[in-house]
Amino acid sequence: MKQKILKLLNYTNEQYEDAILLIYIRWCMDFSANYTSGLQCVIANTAINSFFLNELSKIEADFIEQMKPYENDGNISAEDSKKTFYRLSVQLFNRYPKALLADAKKMNLYASN
């Protein structure tokens, strides 16, 4: 599935991982009032990351499904595919694990100097 997504988006594996990381960070920022420590607690939380990746896999499956009719259409550019992918990824911002976020925000992080 990932290879098909990379081909449709005309991305390398690294470019795709960078794009997903940016989406993840932006998604986590929506749940953090304090970007200094609160954001770190959310980003570093394994359960929250697993939730995000699970929801992302649904978006990826939807993307593949929506692009099927255009697989052999030479008129669909990588830019069109990217617009479709990012339009679908916006759905992630409506999905969040309320209980996991509450637990993550309880964590205390101490910076060592």
Side-chain angles (χ1 to χ4, degrees):
M1 178 165 80
K2 188 172 181 180
Q3 291 304 318
K4 186 175 255 188
I5 292 171
L6 294 176
K7 183 178 177 184
L8 287 166
L9 297 175
N10 194 30
Y11 274 165
T12 64
N13 193 47
E14 291 79 19
Q15 288 172 314
Y16 184 68
E17 287 177 7
D18 287 347
I20 297 306
L21 180 61
L22 289 174
I23 292 170
Y24 180 61
I25 290 171
R26 181 63 188 103
W27 182 79
C28 289
M29 288 172 71
D30 282 358
F31 311 116
S32 304
N34 178 352
Y35 289 165
T36 305
S37 62
L39 180 59
Q40 185 177 357
C41 289
V42 175
I43 287 175
N45 188 286
T46 305
I48 290 174
N49 183 263
S50 294
F51 175 88
F52 175 84
L53 292 175
N54 184 51
E55 295 303 311
L56 175 66
S57 68
K58 295 174 188 176
I59 298 297
E60 290 172 331
D62 286 347
F63 174 67
I64 296 278
E65 197 62 36
Q66 285 194 20
M67 295 305 292
K68 273 186 184 178
Y70 307 105
E71 280 183 29
N72 298 318
D73 188 344
N75 294 325
I76 301 298
S77 69
E79 289 304 313
D80 293 331
S81 296
K82 288 174 190 173
K83 287 177 185 176
T84 301
F85 181 79
Y86 287 112
R87 180 180 49 81
L88 289 170
S89 71
V90 168
Q91 296 173 32
L92 288 167
F93 292 88
N94 295 323
R95 303 173 187 173
Y96 56 93
K98 192 173 184 177
L100 296 177
L101 289 165
D103 287 344
K105 290 177 183 179
K106 291 177 188 173
M107 289 176 42
N108 288 322
L109 297 177
Y110 296 98
S112 59
N113 294 343

